[in-house]
Amino acid sequence: MRKKLSLLVVLLSLILSAQISAQTFTLEQFTSFNKLDMSDFKKEMKSLNYKFYDKTEGLGFVLTEYESPDYISKIGKFEYEDKSDDRIEYEFKTKKEYEEYVKIILASGYKETEKGKTITKDSYVDYFKDKKQIRLVTPKDLKNNRYAILVFK
């Protein structure tokens, strides 16, 4: 009986630690991240134990990325000169998570509106609800295995 109880405790702790390390965000969280200025976004990422990954400055935008503690996912905030173009990008590795986001997006009332290819030849699908836009990106090379969700302001 003690062995079963010990085994149960170990399994439960493994399950809980796996859930903690595999942070998945809700659509509402992405929307709230979009509303934060960069300073508050950085504080929020640190409170979630995400670590600074990279900062990229381009023509008219700044992208700041953070990596999950388990190195499985990344989240980035794009800030543009025109604030209406700001967005959050969340990269993850599993098709299962991608499919879960599709279900959540459709259940939330978003409608698929457009399909296409990114500059890097990854496939994308755009979803709109009122004036809100979400883009799901599928990697062209499944070995790369970096799916993404972009939530626009």
Side-chain angles (χ1 to χ4, degrees), residues 37-58:
D37 64 19
M38 192 59 80
S39 172
D40 290 334
F41 178 72
K42 290 175 183 180
K43 289 176 190 172
E44 184 66 25
M45 291 302 104
K46 287 180 183 177
S47 74
L48 295 171
N49 293 322
Y50 273 63
K51 296 187 181 7
F52 178 78
Y53 179 78
D54 193 20
K55 181 176 181 177
T56 305
E57 293 186 36

Side-chain angles (χ1 to χ4, degrees), residues 6-93:
S6 296
L7 181 60
L8 183 63
V9 169
V10 169
L11 287 174
L12 183 61
S13 65
L14 284 173
I15 290 169
L16 289 175
S17 68
Q19 288 179 342
I20 290 170
S21 67
Q23 173 77 45
T24 299
F25 297 105
T26 65
L27 297 181
E28 292 79 17
Q29 285 175 301
F30 290 135
T31 301
S32 69
F33 293 155
N34 245 341
K35 292 177 183 176
L36 298 174
D37 64 19
M38 192 59 80
S39 172
D40 290 334
F41 178 72
K42 290 175 183 180
K43 289 176 190 172
E44 184 66 25
M45 291 302 104
K46 287 180 183 177
S47 74
L48 295 171
N49 293 322
Y50 273 63
K51 296 187 181 7
F52 178 78
Y53 179 78
D54 193 20
K55 181 176 181 177
T56 305
E57 293 186 36
L59 293 174
F61 76 90
V62 174
L63 166 63
T64 305
E65 296 177 288
Y66 287 84
E67 193 167 50
S68 64
D70 57 9
Y71 307 103
I72 291 177
S73 61
K74 284 192 305 188
I75 186 166
K77 180 172 178 62
F78 285 86
E79 281 192 319
Y80 286 85
E81 289 174 4
D82 178 359
K83 293 295 182 192
S84 65
D85 290 334
D86 288 0
R87 66 189 71 158
I88 295 293
E89 180 177 6
Y90 176 63
E91 292 183 358
F92 49 94
K93 290 188 176 185

